[in-house]
Amino acid sequence: MHNQDFPQLESVERIEQGFEAHGYVCSRKIATAVFLAFQLRKPVLVEGPPGVGKTELAKTIAVLLDTPLIRLQCYEGLDEAKALYEWKYGKQLLYTQVLKEKLGDLLKGADGLAESVERLHLFGDIFYSEEFLEPRPLLKAMQQEKGAILLIDEVDKSDYEFESLLLEILSEYQVSIPEIGTVKATTSPMVFLTSNNTRDISDALKRRCLHLYIPFPSVELEERIIQTRVPNVQEQLRHQLVAFVHSLRQLDLKKAPAISETIDWARSLLLLHADELDEEIVRSTLNVLLKYEDDIEATDSALRSLLVGEDTSQPGH
């Protein structure tokens, strides 16, 4: 992707402004990582707990640049055929049938087996040419004339063998297809890999990427996110709900509420016409924030003290 085509990424400040205009409020560290990745043509490995905006980062850049977003969702057993390319076997079979019907005409007049084979060789390996190639996300991203955002999501769910497949692509922006040769990217895509840290990523893959860790946001940043994404929430309620979520994250829960869940909770409170937090409204909506019954029960028993703690954090208390 060329610098002159994307002035939206010409500085860290412009990236921050562009993101915020599209509803993605980020820290300076995130904007700086995006700026450096674009300037250095390096992929970004984005790590952090689920729900902090890793996938959303790639989506927002695609919207900001008005560029195609090509996503590869990783899982155990993901292989080359699903990630890179496969052959159009149905089309090959169809052409084989047509060729079979025409075989008599093609070989008409041939003198013996050697001449027949020689005539067939004139057609080359047409069944293994680009016409019969079905591109999958990795190859498709490299075929985009004006570049693309390539999101390799949850790479930690894939096998180590799949990481090896990525090495050539991420360092050279090219792939080797035995039947065709080396295919280089028309325009190198901007690549984001996300990981929820369910396993260690190999050193070889990390070396090829800039590393960006996105933690849960500070209270101030999360309040700005809520203000941007759910603007109708009043200031007092916004402060209360964000403070309560932060107090929940201090508990020993199976799954702490993420930013996406804070946003959902703010929307829920708005729908229920809540002006402030009290035990009843929190207790009846805890299932929006927490996804395990054990977490809900643990929070319910400590609810009063959590709300008192949140209340004492209010200005003036």
Side-chain angles (χ1 to χ4, degrees):
M1 297 171 73
H2 306 294
N3 288 20
Q4 65 272 18
D5 295 332
F6 299 103
Q8 304 94 319
L9 302 183
E10 68 181 9
S11 70
V12 174
E13 290 75 20
R14 282 206 67 174
I15 293 170
E16 282 184 302
Q17 293 164 6
F19 279 179
E20 192 154 347
H22 289 85
Y24 188 86
V25 180
C26 70
S27 64
R28 174 56 66 102
K29 186 176 79 169
I30 294 175
T32 302
V34 171
F35 173 76
L36 292 176
F38 180 67
Q39 297 296 331
L40 299 173
R41 302 293 185 268
K42 297 273 282 186
V44 187
L45 174 60
V46 191
E47 295 187 294
V52 292
K54 301 185 296 295
T55 301
E56 199 64 25
L57 173 62
K59 290 180 177 178
T60 304
I61 293 175
V63 173
L64 178 65
L65 303 183
D66 192 21
T67 299
L69 172 71
I70 297 175
R71 178 174 180 170
L72 174 63
Q73 179 64 49
C74 296
Y75 53 87
E76 191 177 344
L78 178 64
D79 60 10
E80 191 175 86
K82 297 298 181 189
L84 190 54
Y85 73 91
E86 62 181 335
W87 296 105
K88 296 178 181 175
Y89 296 115
K91 187 175 178 180
Q92 287 176 327
L93 184 61
L94 177 65
Y95 275 57
T96 302
Q97 293 298 324
V98 172
L99 184 61
K100 188 177 177 182
E101 292 172 4
K102 299 291 182 184
L103 203 55
D105 296 336
L106 292 172
L107 300 181
K108 190 175 182 179
D111 186 14
L113 179 62
E115 188 175 346
S116 298
V117 171
E118 189 176 340
R119 287 194 185 185
L120 290 174
H121 280 170
L122 293 176
F123 292 93
D125 294 326
I126 58 171
F127 291 133
Y128 291 98
S129 62
E130 291 194 29
E131 289 185 2
F132 292 87
L133 199 62
E134 183 68 56
R136 297 303 183 193
L138 297 178
L139 183 57
K140 199 177 288 184
M142 292 196 291
Q143 291 176 330
Q144 301 299 311
E145 191 175 340
K146 294 184 178 179
I149 303 299
L150 173 60
L151 170 61
I152 303 173
D153 214 6
E154 299 184 324
V155 68
D156 52 324
K157 288 185 176 176
S158 66
D159 306 311
Y160 280 107
E161 290 76 11
F162 177 72
E163 286 189 27
S164 301
L165 174 68
L166 292 176
L167 298 182
E168 181 184 13
I169 297 170
L170 298 183
S171 57
E172 305 293 337
Y173 294 110
Q174 68 178 33
V175 293
S176 299
I177 300 176
E179 298 86 349
I180 293 178
T182 301
V183 178
K184 286 182 171 293
T186 308
T187 302
S188 57
M190 198 170 180
V191 184
F192 292 85
L193 303 94
T194 71
S195 167
N196 292 330
N197 298 320
T198 58
R199 68 165 175 82
D200 289 335
I201 303 299
S202 70
D203 290 344
L205 186 60
K206 284 192 170 184
R207 276 200 306 275
R208 286 161 172 81
C209 303
L210 294 181
H211 182 258
L212 172 64
Y213 184 82
I214 303 181
F216 289 122
S218 64
V219 170
E220 294 73 19
L221 183 58
E222 194 155 9
E223 281 204 40
R224 284 180 58 208
I225 293 170
I226 297 300
Q227 189 174 11
T228 302
R229 302 297 291 271
V230 196
N232 292 331
V233 172
Q234 297 299 311
E235 183 179 356
Q236 181 186 353
L237 179 59
R238 185 172 65 242
H239 180 82
Q240 285 182 324
L241 73 89
V242 169
F244 183 79
V245 169
H246 275 253
S247 67
L248 279 185
R249 289 178 186 149
Q250 304 306 313
L251 300 179
D252 184 20
L253 301 175
K254 284 185 178 177
K255 182 187 178 305
I259 300 171
S260 56
E261 283 140 358
T262 310
I263 294 171
D264 287 343
W265 196 39
R267 288 173 175 156
S268 301
L269 294 174
L270 203 59
L271 287 170
L272 295 170
H273 307 291
D275 298 320
E276 61 180 4
L277 293 188
D278 56 39
E279 283 190 47
E280 183 181 354
I281 191 71
V282 173
R283 187 168 281 118
S284 61
T285 56
L286 269 180
N287 60 322
V288 180
L289 282 173
L290 302 172
K291 308 303 180 186
Y292 289 91
E293 191 58 28
D294 288 348
D295 289 347
I296 292 176
E297 289 174 3
T299 302
D300 190 279
S301 61
L303 194 55
R304 184 162 295 177
S305 60
L306 287 171
L307 284 170
V308 170
E310 174 275 320
D311 193 47
T312 55
S313 69
Q314 293 282 319
H317 287 267

